[in-house]
Amino acid sequence: LGPADGCVTLGTELSLPRSLPTVTYQDSTLLQAKRSYPWPYLGEVSEGDIARFAERQRAVYRRVRGCCCSSQWAADSIVSDYGIPRERVHVVGIGRNHDVPAPPAREWGTPRFLFVGFDWVRKNGDAMVRCFSEVRRVHPDAEIHLVGGHPEIDAPGVVGHGVISLGDPRGATLLADLYRQATCFVMVSIHEPSATAYAEAAAAGLPCIGTSEGGSATIIGPGGVLVDPSDARAFTQAMLHLSDPEVARRFGALASAHAQELTWPRVAERLVRALALPGCDLDGLARFL
């Protein structure tokens, strides 16, 4: 097929020839993952193996042209945990896997929260439902719609939809309707490296209530608020704050503008810039993707 001009590796498992221009791309480092959340895949790895894998990761970071990350949170770890100079570390963001355009006019009057996620425990689902019950005391007509891996919940204002398949036209229509009818996206995970759900909600014109644990700040940007997932009072206050129609409308507009940067073509452009290949046609790349 001919020689490669450059390579993007997802993570640091591969060590490629020095003659091949390479950048890495990831949403978390190994040392971050180990200390941030009890991931099952790391549960039985010994401390000695963690140290060896981390040293291998450090060696890869040192030899590539650039270390690219989905968030500032991950970038900071590459600098502080691995000693890589900051000028060689680049935040390139994430893209969206499906798009629901914002409706021409959204009804902001009644608080209507939307949650989309599979891992109910890590996504802090039970705490979210408890905080929503407090919101209902102030806004008796408020609703929260759950999509994904949630349990069956019988509570006022809580509507469960289960797993929705985008491959089914009826499922795709239902999910699009939920995004258009919502006034705020909420997912305050116990830990979240980089959730595409925030980017997809922002593109639909929704403000986001996200988690402060992980890389969500880069993805949500000015289009929402971050909450400590262990602080139930702050969680409830954020939901009440975004229940105000004017507040939600203002954050929604900011989210929609920020979402213009959250596409895979824009990520690809930043990755190619990090590779610093001579004569690269970035416009052509964006059109191709």
Side-chain angles (χ1 to χ4, degrees):
L1 296 178
D5 295 313
C7 181
V8 178
T9 67
L10 299 180
T12 54
E13 284 71 31
L14 301 176
S15 183
L16 300 174
R18 290 184 183 274
S19 59
L20 178 63
T22 302
V23 295
T24 60
Y25 177 51
Q26 62 197 118
D27 63 4
S28 175
T29 69
L30 172 63
L31 295 179
Q32 270 185 320
K34 179 64 176 175
R35 67 172 175 257
S36 299
Y37 188 75
W39 295 102
Y41 74 93
L42 289 177
E44 297 183 8
V45 181
S46 70
E47 291 300 321
D49 282 340
I50 290 289
R52 283 190 290 274
F53 294 151
E55 188 53 42
R56 175 185 176 87
Q57 194 168 49
R58 182 178 290 107
V60 172
Y61 287 147
R62 285 173 175 167
R63 70 187 297 168
V64 297
R65 284 199 175 186
C67 308
C68 298
C69 313
S70 60
S71 71
Q72 187 63 53
W73 172 74
D76 289 342
S77 174
I78 293 177
V79 173
S80 61
D81 291 327
Y82 294 84
I84 304 303
R86 189 166 293 276
E87 61 269 19
R88 295 187 55 243
V89 182
H90 312 285
V91 179
V92 300
I94 64 167
R96 308 189 295 269
N97 296 332
H98 68 92
D99 276 311
V100 176
R106 190 186 299 273
E107 173 51 56
W108 298 97
T110 301
R112 191 179 174 102
F113 297 94
L114 176 63
F115 165 88
V116 180
F118 285 100
D119 190 341
W120 183 255
V121 174
R122 182 170 62 83
K123 305 290 183 177
N124 210 16
D126 288 343
M128 176 181 64
V129 172
R130 288 194 298 270
C131 292
F132 174 73
S133 69
E134 296 300 315
V135 173
R136 284 273 299 191
R137 297 179 190 275
V138 181
H139 300 281
D141 55 349
E143 295 179 353
I144 186 166
H145 290 254
L146 311 177
V147 176
H150 62 82
E152 187 172 332
I153 298 173
D154 182 13
V158 179
V159 183
H161 299 275
V163 176
I164 295 177
S165 172
L166 292 175
D168 179 352
R170 293 172 298 177
T173 298
L174 172 59
L175 187 60
D177 288 342
L178 291 173
Y179 272 107
R180 294 188 185 106
Q181 294 163 7
T183 60
C184 182
F185 185 87
V186 57
M187 190 172 73
V188 182
S189 307
I190 296 172
H191 178 63
E192 196 67 69
S194 61
T196 57
Y198 294 137
E200 291 157 0
L206 289 178
C208 293
I209 301 174
T211 178
S212 61
E213 293 298 314
S216 304
T218 296
I219 304 167
I220 294 175
V225 296
L226 302 179
V227 176
D228 180 340
S230 66
D231 189 338
R233 183 174 181 277
F235 197 161
T236 303
Q237 288 300 315
M239 295 180 78
L240 287 170
H241 186 51
L242 269 298
S243 294
D244 183 301
E246 289 307 311
V247 172
R249 189 196 313 273
R250 184 172 71 251
F251 274 108
L254 293 170
S256 184
H258 182 59
Q260 302 306 307
E261 297 298 320
L262 303 174
T263 69
W264 290 120
R266 292 306 304 271
V267 172
E269 178 180 323
R270 297 177 193 119
L271 289 168
V272 172
R273 288 188 185 281
L275 275 167
L277 299 177
C280 181
D281 179 6
L282 296 178
D283 291 334
L285 173 68
R287 285 195 301 272
F288 173 76
L289 293 173

